[in-house]
Amino acid sequence: MTARLAIGFAWLAALAAVLFLAVPLLTVVAASVSPTPVFDLPLEGASLRWYARIGRLDGFWPALSLSLQIALLSTAIALVIGTLAAIAIVRGRLPGAETLATALVSPLMMPGLVLGIALLQYFRAVGFTATWSALLLAHLVVTLPYVARTMIAGLALFDFTLVEAARTLGCTYAGAILRVMVPALAPSFLTAGLFSFLASFDNYPVSIFLTDVRTKTLPIKMLQYIEEAPDPTLAALSTLILAATVILLVASDRLIGLHRMAGTSE
Amino acid sequence: MTAPDAPPHVAVRRVSKRYGPLTVLDRVDLTVDRGELVTLLGPSGCGKTTLLRLVAGLATPEEGTIAIAGRDVTRVPPHRRNVGVVFQSYALFPHLTVAGNVAFGLSVRGRRRDEIDRAVARTLSLVRLEHLGARRVSALSGGQQQRVALARALAVEPEVLLFDEALSALDRNLREEMQVELRRLLREIGATAIFVTHDQDEALTMSDRIAVMNGGRIEQLADPKTLYERPATLFTLGFVGQSTRLRGTVAAAGDGMVAVDTPVGRVAAMGQFLAGSSVVVATRPEHLRVVADTVGHEGSDRARNSVDGRIRAVIFQGSRSRIEVAAGDQVLLAEAPGRIASALNPGDAARLVWPVAETFAYPDPEARA
């Protein structure tokens, strides 16, 4: 009886937690279809007119383009550097590999604000003023830990005997890497890329210090819109971003399984 | 089996391998005939796996040569050696199905699709997994994974099959079953194979010949029976099977025999030593017969050794029992069938009798320094 009660309570708590997490998102979605400029519950009718206004927001397209550029490019570079670093750490028998791994992942534990200020001062000190490149470098600092962490975990589970097996079965060394190691690590690679992209795309605290009047990433632009004109257009934009993220996650789940991405099994 | 004058299928000549200051293999010679199964047996760190990796091409020796089927492959990379390796971890490709794993070597070789399909079906039926081709390898049991690994190695029709502790990961019953089955299968297809293991029972069961390795060298290379009955060195004696040993000094020598003074009296043994040498005399416990009556006239003579003592322990081991007999400050190990052992009790006086022909003398490794 007590056990059943406890389980029931646990279920209730879980449900409450899910609601707590989901309600703000649902509110945004609801707000995005509000027919009036001021969001009010209960909704009286629905309208998609705010979606049509997204594209007409001042400076929206350049901001989106910049965010996508930075996110894609920093993710691509982080995947290359992070994977190579992970191989060195897992396989290289380096002295201090543990320390190196911790250092590589440490920006994850650093408050973004601190990171932003530090990077700003550093770039100033060395006279590095190109905003776009500075943003890219800063985002690399943000994304690299995600890639390094995921790839180190993936490689630690990878049995390098597989490469040897492939070689004895007729593969050249490069062929063995390509035919065996790459497919085996593909889930880790995809996970790393996904989280890295998302981390860069919605980064605010680091970007805020490095953008200028003409070069603004989407999250910064969005905050500016809110301050200027708080109407449901932003809710519509948020809903689109939310939908894109959900599609991305579902696609990845179909491809490799979310439980593997979260590292909760296998 | 081929004619005795046929060239060896695998020939390892004076091969050495060093990792930094550590010499892992020290001028090792080994030949394996076509269709022969040779086991490399030894404790961990003896160099057996390294030797296997050298034959596979996964490592290169500092000196010496390796030839497979008459071709010098010392510097040939693994993908051009045509060897099949079964790894301890099986190393199955997790992103491929069972059939995909077995087909791997052939598809890398660019064989035609229908040819590959036929070979995969044939090989899978050889290891009795024909019904599991479409399964993911992670969905298989340990024994099934082991068979897939074997099938994958067999599918490319390699010159030589190499097994690196291939059965160690299986539990005991399954391992013994696989030993017999693998032995039969390899015989059937006439495979030349080198088998690495640290398990002496596995080596005795599987092999045509066994190379006992120690400290980067082959201590003895012989068929299982010879290895067990006539171990050439004290290490082989100790590593394969149980033994009873006594330390002593040679008192008299001649005719390939020695009389050795031990703490429990004079013992005769086979061996060539100068009088005064420090030796270890040893025999297998099953040769020691326990006689409960110590006053009878059955004692030492030209063909028999005998030692009087007191039974210290009788350890039941199923069909046989282990009997420890204390004589002076020595403990001798004997073995007896349960029927005889049940009449023995700790504390009883007992006499141990065993044939001189089964007693061997070895140089005392501790006295050499």
Side-chain angles (χ1 to χ4, degrees), chain B residues 60-80:
Chain B
T60 320
E62 266 78 47
E63 53 178 310
T65 62
I66 296 166
I68 297 175
R71 180 170 73 116
D72 184 341
V73 294
T74 315
R75 308 275 154 203
V76 174
H79 64 276
R80 287 198 274 116

Side-chain angles (χ1 to χ4, degrees), chain A residues 27-137:
Chain A
T27 312
V28 167
V29 176
S32 75
V33 293
S34 160
T36 53
V38 180
F39 175 55
D40 200 11
L41 278 176
L43 282 177
E44 287 159 11
S47 156
L48 288 178
R49 64 184 167 123
W50 307 113
Y51 285 87
R53 286 188 51 171
I54 294 173
R56 295 202 298 275
L57 282 171
D58 173 43
F60 167 76
W61 293 111
L64 177 65
S65 156
L66 177 68
S67 272
L68 284 177
Q69 280 174 38
I70 298 287
L72 286 173
L73 218 65
S74 68
T75 296
I77 298 172
L79 277 176
V80 174
I81 299 177
T83 305
L84 292 178
I87 291 174
I89 286 167
V90 175
R91 284 292 282 177
R93 295 197 193 87
L94 298 168
E98 290 271 319
T99 317
L100 205 64
T102 310
L104 211 55
V105 178
S106 64
L108 268 183
M109 300 165 240
M110 208 74 76
L113 273 170
V114 176
L115 219 61
I117 292 176
L119 282 166
L120 177 67
Q121 293 199 330
Y122 172 69
F123 287 150
R124 281 248 178 92
V126 299
F128 187 63
T129 53
T131 309
W132 191 89
S133 313
L135 259 179
L136 181 65
L137 276 182

Side-chain angles (χ1 to χ4, degrees), chain A residues 159 161-162 164-172 179-180 183, chain B residues 53 78-79 83 87 89 91-93 95 105 107-109 152:
Chain A
D159 178 8
T161 319
L162 293 182
E164 296 192 333
R167 294 179 70 200
T168 62
L169 286 164
C171 282
T172 59
R179 293 187 69 136
V180 171
Chain B
R53 291 174 61 81
H79 64 276
V83 294
F87 294 89
S89 65
L92 298 177
F93 305 130
H95 61 291
S107 92
V108 168
R109 283 166 171 74
R152 185 179 66 180

